[in-house]
């Protein structure tokens, strides 16, 4: 027990706590404020990055084993939290009215297809849905490119970034424009999962290469530099 406890990274726990605080604090701000835009430019990528630091694709021998484990860890909590949120909304008249104004069928579509309850005030559970698919993508990527050259792996991640940034928004636009079967976007946050996969991979290699320890001597130079770069390439250039 002491041995396993000693392997915990205090920096990782601290970063998770800071990210949670920023999520709550960010939601108290005016959505047009610069601080709001800055926090929302990195707080969800940070969660995916930190999850990647603890993800071990090598421990799953088969894809079905990874699916079963991640289903229990991600989708079971997703449905449990959603079910509890639904019960609360049915008990409270104001919330119940909002659900039925939107039609129950539409709310069920949001839960079981889009992966994000719309009127249950627990829409943040989309993170679990996106994380489930992002981790499976990372497992598949790891298995397909394990032992291949770093250049090939880096190129594949660049291709995934290009698909997530440039192609999938067009796919979602086509869904919205033509609404096949009445659906407005890809299911289960797959577009978000494709982007989250990149941050998971970054976190995985950050931990695998022991960069937390190696970069510690450069902390006081890197921290202000990276915060500045995040602001410039986040809210300053990209807005929300």
């Amino acid at each position: 027990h002491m041995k396993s406890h000693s392997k915990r990274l205090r920096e990782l726990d601290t970063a998770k706590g800071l990210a949670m605080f920023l999520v709550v604090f960010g939601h108290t701000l005016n959505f047009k404020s610069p601080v709001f835009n800055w926090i929302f430019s990195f707080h969800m990528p940070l969660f995916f990055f930190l999850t990647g630091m603890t993800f071990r694709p090598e421990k799953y021998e088969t894809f079905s084993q990874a699916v079963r484990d991640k289903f229990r860890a991600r989708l079971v909590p997703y449905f449990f939290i959603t079910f509890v949120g639904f019960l609360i909304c049915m008990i409270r008249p104001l919330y119940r009215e909002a659900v039925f104004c939107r039609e129950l069928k539409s709310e069920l579509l949001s839960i079981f297809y889009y992966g994000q309850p719309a009127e249950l005030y627990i829409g943040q559970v989309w993170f679990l849905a996106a994380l489930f698919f992002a981790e499976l993508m990372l497992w598949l990527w790891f298995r397909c490119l394990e032992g291949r050259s770093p250049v090939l792996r880096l190129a594949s991640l660049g291709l995934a970034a290009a698909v997530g940034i440039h192609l999938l928004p067009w796919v979602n636009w086509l869904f919205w424009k033509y609404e096949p079967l009445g659906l407005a976007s890809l299911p289960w946050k797959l577009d978000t999962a494709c982007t989250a996969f990149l941050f998971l991979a970054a976190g995985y290699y950050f931990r695998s290469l022991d960069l937390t320890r190696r970069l510690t001597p450069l902390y006081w130079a890197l921290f202000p530099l990276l915060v500045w770069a995040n602001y410039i390439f986040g809210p300053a250039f990209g807005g929300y």
Side-chain angles (χ1 to χ4, degrees):
H1 174 75
M2 291 299 293
K3 184 177 179 181
S4 63
H5 181 74
S6 65
K7 292 181 180 180
R8 290 186 67 91
L9 286 176
R10 290 183 299 171
E11 296 89 345
L12 187 58
D13 292 331
T14 302
K16 289 179 180 178
L18 178 61
M20 292 177 188
F21 168 78
L22 289 174
V23 169
V24 176
F25 178 65
H27 280 82
T28 68
L29 301 173
N30 186 312
F31 72 93
K32 293 183 179 180
S33 72
V35 177
F36 175 92
N37 285 337
W38 176 60
I39 291 175
F40 274 66
S41 72
F42 72 84
H43 73 300
M44 293 314 300
L46 176 59
F47 275 118
F48 288 118
F49 178 85
L50 295 175
T51 303
M53 290 185 68
T54 60
F55 186 54
R56 296 291 180 271
E58 61 272 12
K59 79 176 184 178
Y60 303 110
E61 295 183 359
T62 64
F63 182 66
S64 60
Q65 184 183 2
V67 170
R68 288 194 299 270
D69 184 68
K70 293 307 173 182
F71 184 90
R72 289 192 297 267
R74 309 303 180 204
L75 293 192
V76 169
Y78 169 87
F79 285 114
F80 176 77
I81 295 169
T82 300
F83 176 72
V84 172
F86 185 81
L87 291 181
I88 293 173
C89 287
M90 292 301 100
I91 293 172
R92 300 194 62 182
L94 184 62
Y95 289 2
R96 183 171 65 245
E97 182 181 353
V99 172
F100 284 105
C101 280
R102 192 173 183 266
E103 294 187 359
L104 184 59
K105 178 182 177 181
S106 180
E107 186 63 45
L108 292 175
L109 186 66
S110 295
I111 294 171
F112 291 101
Y113 178 81
Y114 295 117
Q116 183 172 14
E119 298 294 342
L120 300 186
Y121 302 94
I122 51 166
Q124 297 84 352
V125 292
W126 70 261
F127 175 77
L128 294 171
L131 185 57
F132 171 75
F133 288 101
E135 287 177 315
L136 295 182
M137 290 176 189
L138 180 58
W139 187 91
L140 289 171
W141 177 86
F142 180 82
R143 286 300 181 188
C144 291
L145 296 179
E146 183 181 10
R148 301 295 182 92
S149 71
V151 174
L152 179 60
R153 282 180 282 175
L154 188 61
S156 67
L157 291 176
L159 178 61
V163 170
I165 295 171
H166 299 293
L167 179 60
L168 291 183
W170 279 102
V171 175
N172 276 344
W173 181 83
L174 290 173
F175 267 82
W176 171 81
K177 183 70 174 178
Y178 299 103
E179 295 190 4
L181 303 177
L183 306 174
S185 71
L186 290 166
W188 284 98
K189 296 293 179 182
L190 284 175
D191 53 338
T192 303
C194 287
T195 307
F197 151 73
L198 298 169
F199 293 99
L200 284 173
Y204 170 77
Y205 279 108
F206 196 89
R207 179 73 180 270
S208 299
L209 298 174
D210 196 22
L211 293 182
T212 303
R213 179 185 59 82
R214 293 182 179 185
L215 295 178
T216 297
L218 303 175
Y219 171 80
W220 294 109
L222 283 176
F223 184 75
L225 176 63
L226 293 177
V227 170
W228 174 83
N230 167 242
Y231 179 79
I232 293 299
F233 294 102
F237 284 174
Y240 173 67

